[in-house]
Amino acid sequence: MANQEENLFKNVIAHAKEYGFVFQSSEIYDGLSAVYDYGQNGAELKNNIKEYWWKFMTMLHENIVGIDAAIFMHPTTWKASGHVDAFNDPMIDNKDSKKRYRADQLIEGYIEKLEEKIEKEVEKAAKRFENFDRSMFVSTNARVVEYQKKIDEVNDKLKEAMGSGNMEAMKQLIIDLEIADPVSGSRNWTDVRQFNLMFSTEMGSVADDANKIYLRPETAQGIFVNFLNVQKTGRMKIPFGIAQIGKAFRNEIVARQFIFRMREFEQMEMQFFVKPGEEMKWYEHWKEKRIKWHKALGLGEENYRFHDHLNLAHYANAACDIQFDFPMGFRELEGIHSRTDFDLKSHEKYSGKKLQYFDPETNQNYIPYVVETSIGLDRMFLAVLSSSYKEEKLADGSERVVLRIPAPLAPNKVAILPLTKKDGLPEKAQEIMNSLKFHVRCFYEEKDAIGKRYRRQDAVGTPYCVTVDHQTLQDNTVTIRHRDSMEQERVPVDSLKATLTAACSVNNILERI
Ligand code: GAP
């Protein structure tokens, strides 16, 4: 990360703590690594993101329904899903710095550096030549061709080592590429070992192996095991989807980037069941739908890009990420996977129960194929928070920190601020608040000068401030101050409910998709 981005990220993290968005878990005991709590404003923002996703999935699509499955599942679930045998990350330690890394990420970092070199060459050439043709340039420029050859070679070796679980090959690749510890610069590495990411615990009072159960590492399996329950009781016809929001747990090897990679996190997943052979059509369909959902929020279209997976997971025949430009650069925000019939077929095998769909149109039974959309709620939270965080210099020379959170996601929609604490202004302000609080989340405050109060609301992203002054008592009008433009206008109290409800509803954004 460049210095400027690193500073920005630090400021976002500090701001999140100072304004009640995110706290380190069990902070009074010095915290628990990669586990975080959401504070009073964070919990509201998180709930609003959930509402935006849940409504999009289950209200705008009549063939998608939502469920809420348990975190604990029968242990055979994880044998069937492949997680017991294959949900491993290759880990490596540096003997000098004592830091632990994911071996594949070290190699991917090497590839990323080569890709950056290519981009620099392209940028330089684009400035030099008129009518610059990128594809012609990258296929003919000797230096770029050489970099690309190296990228392909390393990618192939990484894929081969990951696919076959050959940890010696992975270590050899790190040695051959002379990859150094990013912290100490040392090349003194341990062997690469496989590390299973699932947390386990015991159920019941007898702690033997038979009672070992896992904390789910993804919410998807709760959907698969309920596939027939939902299909039958909901009389669902293929194609149809099942959506779920819930906690997932992974014992991540490297978890250093705030809420980007946590050990306890939340996922919003949807499994879409389709006729075999139609999965690629639906895969493209969901790619398009999901990117629209993201872009409709208005965080900046340039902040998103697709990234196709080179190393497909054991269950997928196509997969890509929607990446977001986080403070540390473009990283995975959401995964879209064509999961074939792997999961249902495997659960059929392990449970001995049929998990098939009877298609009334063809009079045939079949195991549906699945297209999955899977987004991390905490990553979405970080995307909203980091892209909304702005340090602004104002025309009068002063500065402000403002969270330009889309109004429907903002923790509080309106702050009701009596200008002074006397002359009946607090009573009038309370009366206004009482008329609004059933419709939009309100915040009330009477302490400090009005300018200071505006700044505090900017810092938590409140899109509107309503100021109650002496004129309010005479003509029942208030000043409404807009967070982003800082403009103020005088409006009748009676208009507030309709204006604020319309501006702050997630339906507003959903209508644009
Ligand atoms: N059911 C498929 C699945 O779980 P994944 O790519 O492993 O796929 C999906 O995870 C999404 O969950 C990711 O795109 C990311 O947003 C989020 N996610 C995964 N691991 C995470 C972690 N340790 N901390 C926070 N979010 C995570």
Side-chain angles (χ1 to χ4, degrees):
M1 243 193 293
N3 260 354
Q4 206 182 346
E5 286 148 358
E6 212 166 294
N7 285 341
L8 169 72
F9 198 18
K10 275 190 193 145
N11 292 351
V12 170
I13 295 170
H15 191 86
K17 181 178 175 196
E18 190 179 344
Y19 288 93
F21 283 88
V22 183
F23 306 126
Q24 176 84 57
S25 159
S26 341
E27 198 189 66
I28 57 167
Y29 295 103
D30 295 333
L32 185 64
S33 166
V35 185
Y36 291 90
D37 298 336
Y38 288 86
Q40 66 280 17
N41 287 316
E44 294 298 335
L45 172 54
K46 210 172 166 198
N47 281 338
N48 295 338
I49 296 173
K50 282 193 212 178
E51 187 194 1
Y52 178 48
W53 185 88
W54 189 260
K55 277 192 165 174
F56 171 74
M57 285 296 176
T58 66
M59 270 172 61
L60 299 196
H61 298 95
E62 61 214 58
N63 58 351
I64 300 181
V65 290
I67 64 164
D68 185 10
I71 287 171
F72 289 141
M73 299 183 71
H74 192 285
T76 311
T77 308
W78 305 111
K79 192 77 192 145
S81 68
H83 284 83
V84 170
D85 297 319
F87 196 51
N88 301 319
D89 275 344
M91 74 175 176
I92 190 166
D93 294 283
N94 187 279
K95 291 184 197 165
D96 295 326
S97 71
K98 311 277 181 250
K99 289 264 177 213
R100 178 161 287 179
Y101 296 94
R102 265 178 58 183
D104 56 328
Q105 284 181 348
L106 286 177
I107 298 166
E108 278 163 6
Y110 178 91
I111 293 171
E112 258 173 43
K113 279 196 190 123
L114 287 178
E115 279 167 349
E116 279 164 20
K117 282 185 179 172
I118 293 180
E119 278 318 304
K120 275 202 185 121
E121 294 288 338
V122 169
E123 271 170 34
K124 262 197 295 183
K127 276 189 199 143
R128 264 203 329 255
F129 304 116
E130 255 180 61
N131 303 325
F132 176 70
D133 181 340
R134 184 193 163 100
S135 59
M136 172 71 94
F137 177 76
V138 295
S139 61
T140 54
N141 179 277
R143 235 191 317 243
V144 170
V145 169
E146 199 52 41
Y147 292 147
Q148 191 56 54
K149 215 169 112 195
K150 189 73 188 167
I151 290 174
D152 294 342
E153 186 196 318
V154 176
N155 254 328
D156 285 348
K157 285 188 178 162
L158 175 61
K159 206 169 159 184
E160 166 69 29
M162 290 288 279
S164 60
N166 187 344
M167 297 298 104
E168 287 93 49
M170 194 153 320
K171 169 140 189 214
Q172 196 54 49
L173 194 52
I174 288 173
I175 292 168
D176 292 347
L177 298 174
E178 299 183 354
I179 294 175
D181 177 349
V183 175
S184 64
S186 148
R187 295 196 175 91
N188 193 5
W189 296 110
T190 62
D191 286 342
V192 180
R193 285 152 293 155
Q194 289 280 28
F195 180 77
N196 192 286
L197 299 186
M198 281 197 295
F199 283 102
S200 65
T201 183
E202 280 96 33
M203 185 169 254
S205 54
V206 187
D208 64 19
D209 232 11
N211 294 320
K212 180 169 168 178
I213 56 163
Y214 298 97
L215 274 78
R216 66 180 178 199
E218 61 172 11
T219 59
Q221 298 304 324
I223 295 179
F224 291 126
V225 298
N226 279 300
F227 158 70
L228 264 196
N229 284 338
V230 174
Q231 191 272 318
K232 291 224 156 90
T233 56
R235 299 173 1 128
M236 309 298 289
K237 286 206 169 56
I238 271 180
F240 74 92
I242 305 178
Q244 172 165 227
I245 299 178
K247 289 267 185 177
F249 304 83
R250 296 183 189 177
N251 199 0
E252 298 282 358
I253 297 172
V254 183
R256 293 194 191 111
Q257 284 170 325
F258 190 41
I259 55 171
F260 181 81
R261 198 175 297 284
M262 300 155 90
R263 297 204 163 98
E264 174 180 341
F265 58 101
E266 227 166 320
Q267 289 184 317
M268 306 192 285
E269 297 200 297
M270 193 278 296
Q271 311 296 325
F272 200 70
F273 300 92
V274 306
K275 204 170 173 174
E278 293 190 352
E279 70 275 14
M280 290 318 290
K281 178 181 92 184
W282 288 108
Y283 173 68
E284 293 302 330
H285 171 89
W286 280 106
K287 273 176 75 174
E288 197 183 314
K289 280 235 160 178
R290 292 303 302 147
I291 197 78
K292 276 193 183 157
W293 179 88
H294 283 286
K295 290 185 175 174
L297 263 184
L299 302 181
E301 302 220 344
E302 68 288 357
N303 286 328
Y304 301 90
R305 70 181 187 196
F306 280 110
H307 173 77
D308 288 326
H309 286 201
L310 294 172
N311 301 315
L312 290 177
H314 57 277
Y315 50 74
N317 66 358
C320 68
D321 298 334
I322 293 177
Q323 294 188 334
F324 187 78
D325 195 2
F326 289 100
M328 61 281 191
F330 274 96
R331 295 283 187 284
E332 174 185 348
L333 170 59
E334 169 159 7
I336 299 163
H337 313 124
S338 171
R339 289 183 80 123
T340 67
D341 57 355
F342 173 86
D343 301 89
L344 290 180
K345 209 173 180 174
S346 191
H347 285 306
E348 226 189 47
K349 183 174 143 205
Y350 277 86
S351 67
K353 310 270 168 28
K354 280 241 168 301
L355 288 177
Q356 302 197 358
Y357 173 76
F358 175 72
D359 193 330
E361 279 169 22
T362 58
N363 270 342
Q364 278 178 331
N365 283 307
Y366 58 79
I367 299 179
Y369 270 46
V370 172
V371 174
E372 165 185 75
T373 71
S374 174
I375 174 169
L377 175 53
D378 312 87
R379 283 198 193 169
M380 188 60 201
F381 184 103
L382 183 58
V384 173
L385 190 71
S386 60
S387 60
S388 304
Y389 176 92
K390 306 282 174 212
E391 294 167 2
E392 294 180 349
K393 253 204 155 50
L394 304 178
D396 63 3
S398 65
E399 286 171 12
R400 72 163 181 168
V401 172
V402 55
L403 294 183
R404 291 174 174 265
I405 301 176
L409 301 188
N412 294 312
K413 311 303 184 204
V414 57
I416 314 280
L417 313 172
L419 193 60
T420 65
K421 282 193 218 167
K422 47 187 201 274
D423 303 335
L425 297 187
E427 289 77 9
K428 180 66 185 172
Q430 284 290 352
E431 183 193 310
I432 294 172
M433 171 130 165
N434 286 339
S435 72
L436 293 177
K437 69 183 181 192
F438 294 101
H439 308 280
V440 285
R441 177 167 280 278
C442 306
F443 181 85
Y444 179 84
E445 194 175 42
E446 48 185 49
K447 196 172 167 285
D448 289 329
I450 196 73
K452 239 183 179 175
R453 282 184 272 168
Y454 285 157
R455 287 288 187 279
R456 274 204 294 271
Q457 292 309 311
D458 288 345
V460 293
T462 308
Y464 302 101
C465 287
V466 163
T467 309
V468 178
D469 55 20
H470 293 91
Q471 192 182 330
T472 312
L473 301 179
Q474 288 159 14
D475 63 6
N476 210 31
T477 63
V478 285
T479 304
I480 187 161
R481 183 234 188 214
H482 299 258
R483 175 197 68 198
D484 294 345
S485 63
M486 296 194 294
E487 272 166 17
Q488 302 187 16
E489 55 180 327
R490 195 92 205 164
V491 299
V493 168
D494 296 342
S495 71
L496 285 176
K497 189 169 100 187
T499 315
L500 294 174
T501 315
C504 299
S505 161
V506 292
N507 298 351
N508 255 346
I509 316 179
L510 289 168
E511 267 171 12
R512 292 204 295 269
I513 299 178

